[in-house]
Amino acid sequence: PGPIWTLPCNIELNITFAFGGVAFPVHPLDTNFGELGLVDDGGAPLCVGAFQPIGEAAQSADYDMILGMAFCECRRAVVCCSV
């Protein structure tokens, strides 16, 4: 497993990514995966961040994180097609 970002579980994050001048807000519930049994030095629960940092072994130094399903969750699209 690679590195993870953690955050206090009682924190609500407001995150917006911008690509080409278009803003894509992420719902606060989609910013972490929950406790998963982690605690900080004081014993308080830590939540695992939904976005993954790219590890040092990555093939490119041009990128900082993997957005993955946490980002796609808030970008749903409905496509209608007929057969």
Side-chain angles (χ1 to χ4, degrees):
I4 60 171
W5 285 323
T6 60
L7 61 146
C9 293
N10 62 348
I11 298 294
E12 184 176 289
L13 294 179
N14 292 305
I15 298 175
T16 300
F17 293 99
F19 301 102
V22 178
F24 296 93
V26 178
H27 191 281
L29 294 177
D30 293 329
T31 62
N32 76 67
F33 290 131
E35 282 186 41
L36 302 179
L38 299 176
V39 295
D40 67 13
D41 293 336
L46 286 174
C47 284
V48 175
F51 305 109
Q52 302 171 357
I54 293 181
E56 294 177 14
Q59 293 180 357
S60 174
D62 295 331
Y63 305 102
D64 296 324
M65 72 179 80
I66 300 170
L67 298 179
M69 291 308 297
F71 179 74
C72 292
E73 178 71 21
C74 61
R75 301 294 118 224
R76 292 185 185 162
V78 176
V79 178
C80 179
C81 47
S82 59
V83 180

